[in-house]
Amino acid sequence: MRTSKTREILRYVMDYAISISIFILIWSLYVNISGVPQFVLPKPTVVFKEFIGLFTTGMIWPHLGMTVFEVVIGFGIGVIGGIALGYLVAKIEVVKTALMPFIIFIQTAPKIALVPLFVVWFGIGLPSKIVLIVSMVIFPIMSGIILGIDSIPADARNLMRILKANKLQVFMHLEIKYSLPMLFSGLKIGIVQAVIGAIVAEWMSGKIGLGYILTYGNATYDTPLLMAGIIVTIILGIVSYESIELIGRKLLKWHVSQNIE
Amino acid sequence: MNDFCLQTKGLNKVYHSVLKGDTVALKDINLDINKREFISIIGPSGCGKSTLLRILGCLDKPTSGEIIYQDGKEQEMGFVFQDSVLLPWKNVRENAGFPLVIKKDKTKESWDKLDDLLELSGLSDFKNSLPKELSGGMKQRVSIVRALSYDAPMLLMDEPFGALDAITRDHLNLELLKIWEMTKKTIIFVTHSIEEAVFLSDRVIVMSARPGQIKEIVEIDLERVRKESVRDTDKFQEYTKYLRGIIG
């Protein structure tokens, strides 16, 4: 059992490695043959050196740290707000009727277009960035909770009534657990949105963060730096997404979507 | 013997609808159910038998009329739903013992009794299995044990075996009778199977549709303890034929 599992993981890694190697090979060949200037498309080796340099010189850390900080704070507030709001909308009809038009409006409005407005309202510092991230995270979380609570079978609620369970028991034993799978699909969308939100917010204002590195690389025609910065943001996105995925898998072992070992 | 368990007096249930006018789901239901009795309610679909059961279980309110429980309004009841509604994150034992958790009953006695019930229902080897690993029949067994776990004197069952295949169904019928004879509970059992109703019951309540009302109450005078072989007797056949006749 053990060996076959390790072998399977190894095969996945191999598949990825081969696929990425071929991509880099084609990229490298193209640059060498066509002779495009470096500020349009640098060689993979140059980008790789730049990428390593970002870490060895340590210049990336304050920027990466800032972006991570913004993501954590914004995502945290968005999740708590989304859960609270989602629960109220799912449980109280009046709240639903009152809030739904605004929620749909905010959701359909392209948040990125709201950034200048956020800057006017909240300044160019941290608050406007957090507001943008929260606005991008809150909706997927909220709809996850609403879907989750709506997906509770009517008879499961009837069972609680037959057992004369109180409201707190219904919440603790039924509603939280039943909404977890939906909540986690919301969290997975939310964390990706949070990283995007942080980068975009940093484009707009400030002198720190991964988004700033991208605009700096762009403005100075330092394409290797720009591409290395993009790779860092992609890695940040993947790592944060996979962390949520991992926690979800641990908590949702019971769910039908998880295979039994 | 004539200890009553519950009585209903002139129960009516009307669904009001602006578009389609009023629908009378139940009309003038008068019932006397004795303690330790096994009652089946049978009738064509849409006759309101599930609605009646839900009203008896206080999951729904009648439009008019009253229900008198011998032990008062707060009477403990077990309810087995059509679908097992097990909580998917709890294993078999946790699901079956869920009412004890809600009722904050931590006594060893209750949990030991739960284990006995699991044993009796052939679930001992599956105590740690999750619902997704169980067959439909097994899930329904767990949900019956769950309804029995807190020892409510009354058990309401809403077509509990309706979704199961005939073989599993016959098997579970026998098991249910075994449990009923051991625990001596009052059982009110909604079904659409005539054979099931005859095999299980002391009395069968036949309902007719639109409006849902009691057409006839048929006493089933077959020997107790009933075995599988009772199904082959002439008397059993006569009852099923008679019931089929009145249900139409």
Side-chain angles (χ1 to χ4, degrees):
Chain A
M1 277 305 278
R2 195 78 217 153
T3 49
S4 82
K5 211 181 155 192
T6 346
R7 200 176 296 166
E8 206 173 306
I9 292 170
L10 208 69
R11 238 196 62 199
Y12 266 121
V13 174
M14 284 295 285
D15 285 350
Y16 280 129
I18 290 169
S19 158
I20 292 170
S21 309
I22 291 173
F23 172 74
I24 291 175
L25 191 71
I26 293 171
W27 172 7
S28 171
L29 280 174
Y30 174 76
V31 174
N32 278 323
I33 293 165
S34 69
V36 287
Q38 176 158 311
F39 70 83
V40 177
L41 184 64
K43 283 184 201 164
T45 47
V46 175
V47 173
F48 185 70
K49 256 183 223 149
E50 186 71 39
F51 177 77
I52 297 297
L54 282 177
F55 286 92
T56 49
T57 61
M59 78 88 98
I60 192 76
W61 296 118
H63 297 285
L64 182 59
M66 192 52 170
T67 305
V68 169
F69 177 71
E70 289 163 7
V71 168
V72 169
I73 299 289
F75 184 68
I77 297 175
V79 169
I80 294 167
I83 291 175
L85 212 57
Y87 189 74
L88 288 177
V89 169
K91 293 293 283 189
I92 306 169
E93 198 63 28
V94 183
V95 178
K96 190 176 188 169
T97 329
L99 287 184
M100 240 10 197
F102 299 102
I103 289 166
I104 290 169
F105 171 74
I106 292 170
Q107 176 54 17
T108 38
K111 252 93 47 193
I112 313 257
L114 297 178
V115 177
L117 199 58
F118 288 157
V119 172
V120 172
W121 286 346
F122 305 105
I124 55 166
L126 196 60
S128 67
K129 293 179 178 129
I130 299 295
V131 169
L132 175 69
I133 298 172
V134 170
S135 77
M136 291 179 81
V137 170
I138 206 162
F139 195 82
I141 307 293
M142 208 186 84
S143 39
I145 284 286
I146 295 174
L147 270 176
I149 287 184
D150 285 350
S151 74
I152 298 175
D155 278 342
R157 289 193 182 280
N158 286 333
L159 173 70
M160 298 307 271
R161 281 171 67 187
I162 283 283
L163 298 177
K164 303 185 171 73
N166 61 37
K167 282 208 170 83
L168 183 67
Q169 286 176 323
V170 173
F171 179 67
M172 298 296 287
H173 289 285
L174 200 68
E175 290 172 339
I176 289 189
K177 288 290 192 117
Y178 252 112
S179 24
L180 268 188
M182 297 290 181
L183 174 64
F184 265 91
S185 46
L187 288 176
K188 280 189 246 173
I189 300 169
I191 191 74
V192 174
Q193 296 279 330
V195 175
I196 295 173
I199 302 292
V200 171
E202 287 160 358
W203 281 354
M204 294 293 170
S205 60
K207 293 253 176 283
I208 193 163
L210 291 178
Y212 173 68
I213 290 197
L214 301 188
T215 42
Y216 181 81
N218 180 282
T220 56
Y221 287 96
D222 190 348
T223 310
L225 174 66
L226 178 57
M227 293 185 76
I230 291 172
I231 294 172
V232 178
T233 59
I234 291 173
I235 292 172
L236 175 63
I238 293 174
V239 168
S240 40
Y241 179 87
E242 286 299 328
S243 333
I244 299 288
E245 170 85 21
L246 195 74
I247 299 169
R249 221 177 297 158
K250 283 260 182 284
L251 285 178
L252 297 175
K253 276 215 174 86
W254 50 270
H255 197 249
V256 272
S257 68
Q258 310 290 323
N259 290 323
I260 308 156
E261 296 227 357
Chain B
M1 187 62 206
N2 244 351
D3 259 358
F4 85 100
C5 172
L6 80 90
Q7 265 179 345
T8 69
K9 286 182 184 160
L11 280 189
N12 287 294
K13 177 75 182 175
V14 182
Y15 289 105
H16 298 289
S17 159
V18 183
L19 288 177
K20 288 187 280 181
D22 293 351
T23 314
V24 182
L26 291 175
K27 195 183 164 196
D28 197 28
I29 303 287
N30 295 295
L31 275 178
D32 268 290
I33 293 170
N34 299 323
K35 272 198 167 162
R36 294 177 289 278
E37 199 172 16
F38 201 125
I39 297 269
S40 287
I41 304 175
I42 195 166
S45 46
C47 70
K49 51 190 192 292
S50 285
T51 309
L52 175 58
L53 195 73
R54 290 166 55 85
I55 289 175
L56 295 180
C58 301
L59 293 175
D60 210 339
K61 282 200 176 78
T63 313
S64 62
E66 64 170 331
I67 311 172
I68 304 154
Y69 300 95
Q70 205 231 8
D71 299 336
K73 264 253 173 270
E74 287 300 299
Q75 155 113 48
E76 289 279 11
M77 280 179 263
F79 204 110
V80 179
F81 300 91
Q82 215 161 338
D83 186 51
S84 56
V85 286
L86 301 180
L87 302 177
W89 55 88
K90 288 185 186 295
N91 67 26
V92 166
R93 189 166 185 270
E94 289 164 341
N95 260 299
F98 182 57
L100 299 179
V101 175
I102 292 294
K103 295 184 180 300
K104 303 194 176 78
D105 181 350
K106 290 187 186 123
T107 56
K108 192 173 178 300
E109 202 187 331
S110 304
W111 286 90
D112 283 349
K113 229 171 110 191
L114 181 76
D115 287 328
D116 291 344
L117 280 169
L118 288 169
E119 172 91 53
L120 187 71
S121 330
L123 289 164
S124 290
D125 295 339
F126 300 93
K127 275 183 189 167
N128 298 317
S129 305
L130 287 171
K132 66 176 177 183
E133 301 164 271
L134 302 178
S135 67
M138 297 275 257
K139 282 186 200 166
Q140 207 49 281
R141 279 194 181 102
V142 180
S143 99
I144 292 171
V145 174
R146 178 177 63 193
L148 293 166
S149 65
Y150 50 110
D151 208 18
M154 213 170 114
L155 190 59
L156 307 179
M157 306 179 86
D158 187 6
E159 297 189 33
F161 309 136
L164 305 177
D165 62 273
I167 296 169
T168 314
R169 192 178 190 146
D170 286 354
H171 200 77
L172 285 178
N173 279 342
L174 263 180
E175 277 181 28
L176 180 62
L177 278 187
K178 214 164 68 187
I179 289 172
W180 174 70
E181 258 135 29
M182 274 183 55
T183 56
K184 281 298 166 199
K185 290 185 186 306
T186 311
I187 298 186
I188 305 175
F189 188 97
V190 166
T191 177
H192 55 243
S193 157
I194 293 169
E195 280 76 15
E196 190 170 63
V198 174
F199 182 70
L200 294 171
S201 318
D202 295 319
R203 284 191 293 161
V204 177
I205 295 168
V206 183
M207 290 182 67
S208 65
R210 266 161 285 204
Q213 52 189 342
I214 296 176
K215 204 171 190 182
E216 197 171 326
I217 298 179
V218 181
E219 197 127 350
I220 306 292
D221 187 20
L222 291 168
E223 52 159 0
R224 293 281 185 188
V225 176
R226 285 178 201 166
K227 296 191 186 72
E228 199 58 44
S229 54
V230 88
R231 290 179 198 272
D232 304 322
T233 59
D234 291 341
K235 227 170 162 187
F236 186 91
Q237 305 289 345
E238 255 168 57
Y239 278 123
T240 55
K241 208 171 140 193
Y242 178 71
L243 282 170
R244 201 158 277 133
I246 39 177
I247 292 167

